[in-house]
Amino acid sequence: MRREFQVLIFVLIFSSGYYLLNFTVLESLGMGILSLPLTFLLPAAIISERVYPSFISRAAYVVSMIWLGMAVYILIGLGVTFAASLVPGIPFSPIPAAAFSIIMVSYGLVKGWNIEVRTVRIPFPCSDELRLVQLSDLHVGTVRSGGFLRRVSSIISEVEPDAVLITGDLLDGSRPVGASTLSEIQADVPVFFVSGNHDTYSGDFRSAVEGAGIICIDQRVVDFRGVQLAGVGYSMERHSLPAILDIMEFDPKRSLILLHHLPVEWDYARERGVDLQLSGHTHGGQFYPFNLLVGIMFPFIRGLYEDSGRFLYVSQGTGTWGPPLRIGSSCEVTVIELIPSAHGFNGD
């Protein structure tokens, strides 16, 4: 009951803020009458996609999310043009703000469509070189589906890794996704997965994941080519990683990779013998100005971090959440090359 109440409060606050955003932006453009319909369209699309998904609900969802991004940039543009109008001789006009929004969102959509391959070389206590592909935050659901997974699979095929590691939020939770869709992830090597917060929003995600031949290692340790892979799935409990690691059976003296969706509590993971932690969740901030807020919430926002010979890599995410935009970040497939320690370190 408490959880439902919290969700209700969140929906009310979000809807009120979204209406104010729509009213401010649309009124300045002389289209204030559309404020209420656009405000209702987004939650209606979200509910319809989860309960009765259809082409219409999907279209309404995608359009609403793109409009949300446009509204944010129109608001920023209005702020800039208003500040400029304070200078004598410069009149206020909403047209530059609208043009600015169209340019930014167009760029963000193209950037959000492209998938970049990032290669990171990490010295690691292993006897042989290993090439791993990390996927994170694919958010398969309304915006991204089978076609997106086929594009990702094509990249995996070109990279020829030894294994694929998915560090959470494979599913978006925006609409039901079955094993048939996830089976579009084609790889001739083992695919290991740990859950993220959005996977838990999807209900029985394990059935879809395991039905697609993906190995879920939530709260498990598996051995892969002499390296221990420890998976810690998402938990609603704050600061849960130490307690879970304490009850997991692994040998801290052997090579150990931790898959954990949240890039947090790395200090404790290092103390427990984790040589490399792979995380996601942050999306690298996804798009401006929200990257500023994400950077405050998560000090480890993207890329490779090192401390005392142990490493944390935070993926920017392979997909997107909410508005399918990328501004100041990239959708990435990460190729992690583990080099026996004597080979040295190089990240690019």
Side-chain angles (χ1 to χ4, degrees):
M1 188 67 179
R2 180 182 176 185
R3 172 67 176 168
E4 286 76 5
F5 179 73
Q6 290 174 336
V7 171
L8 176 61
I9 294 298
F10 171 79
V11 170
L12 290 175
I13 294 175
F14 174 81
S15 297
S16 299
Y18 187 44
Y19 173 75
L20 290 175
L21 173 64
N22 282 329
F23 180 80
T24 301
V25 167
L26 291 169
E27 189 68 21
S28 71
L29 297 173
M31 297 184 290
I33 192 172
L34 297 177
S35 301
L36 204 57
L38 278 175
T39 299
F40 278 115
L41 181 62
L42 179 55
I46 291 173
I47 294 171
S48 297
E49 272 292 272
R50 288 185 64 91
V51 181
Y52 299 110
S54 66
F55 172 80
I56 294 176
S57 62
R58 168 172 269 170
Y61 183 99
V62 173
V63 168
S64 295
M65 285 300 179
I66 293 174
W67 165 250
L68 175 58
M70 291 191 67
V72 168
Y73 284 111
I74 292 175
L75 184 65
I76 293 173
L78 288 174
V80 173
T81 53
F82 174 76
S85 70
L86 297 178
V87 177
I90 300 180
F92 173 79
S93 171
I95 295 178
F100 169 73
S101 175
I102 292 173
I103 292 171
M104 293 297 286
V105 169
S106 298
Y107 169 80
L109 287 171
V110 172
K111 197 78 163 55
W113 168 261
N114 292 331
I115 304 173
E116 297 183 4
V117 178
R118 177 176 170 81
T119 301
V120 181
R121 294 167 61 85
I122 301 176
F124 194 78
C126 54
S127 56
D128 299 307
E129 293 189 15
L130 281 177
R131 175 178 293 174
L132 308 172
V133 161
Q134 180 191 6
L135 307 177
S136 192
D137 301 273
L138 292 97
H139 287 276
V140 178
T142 299
V143 176
R144 299 175 188 272
S145 192
F148 171 67
L149 294 180
R150 286 191 289 274
R151 292 173 58 215
V152 172
S153 295
S154 177
I155 295 173
I156 294 173
S157 178
E158 293 175 5
V159 170
E160 297 183 340
D162 296 302
V164 176
L165 311 177
I166 304 176
T167 50
D169 283 3
L170 170 59
L171 303 177
D172 187 54
S174 52
R175 68 155 39 196
V177 174
S180 59
T181 299
L182 297 185
S183 295
E184 296 291 349
I185 300 178
Q186 297 290 323
D188 296 326
V189 295
V191 180
F192 300 99
F193 159 87
V194 293
S195 60
N197 51 308
H198 278 265
D199 298 304
T200 64
Y201 306 156
S202 302
D204 184 17
F205 64 87
R206 285 183 176 82
S207 294
V209 168
E210 294 175 349
I214 299 171
I215 305 167
C216 180
I217 59 170
D218 280 0
Q219 282 63 277
R220 291 174 53 198
V221 180
V222 297
D223 193 273
F224 178 74
R225 297 200 180 179
V227 175
Q228 298 174 105
L229 299 179
V232 174
Y234 180 76
S235 171
M236 293 294 292
E237 298 294 328
R238 292 174 59 85
H239 309 297
S240 60
L241 181 60
I244 295 175
L245 283 178
D246 284 345
I247 62 174
M248 295 180 70
E249 296 183 1
F250 57 82
D251 184 353
K253 296 180 181 180
R254 292 179 55 208
S255 303
L256 179 61
I257 298 176
L258 171 65
L259 278 59
H260 183 46
H261 184 58
L262 301 177
V264 298
E265 299 172 308
W266 178 40
D267 54 345
Y268 188 80
R270 296 196 309 272
E271 292 176 6
R272 291 288 279 115
V274 172
D275 298 294
L276 170 63
Q277 177 175 330
L278 300 178
S279 299
H281 187 65
T282 67
H283 292 225
Q286 191 161 317
F287 65 93
Y288 181 85
F290 300 103
N291 56 341
L292 303 177
L293 177 61
V294 175
I296 294 173
M297 296 173 62
F298 296 96
F300 303 116
I301 187 172
R302 75 177 89 178
L304 186 65
Y305 302 88
E306 185 270 341
D307 190 312
S308 303
R310 300 181 189 273
F311 297 87
L312 163 68
Y313 187 81
V314 184
S315 169
Q316 297 180 82
T318 313
T320 55
W321 175 72
L325 311 177
R326 286 279 188 177
I327 299 176
S329 69
S330 302
C331 294
E332 72 172 57
V333 169
T334 314
V335 180
I336 298 174
E337 297 183 347
L338 300 182
I339 311 299
S341 298
H343 289 206
F345 163 69
N346 176 39
D348 54 24

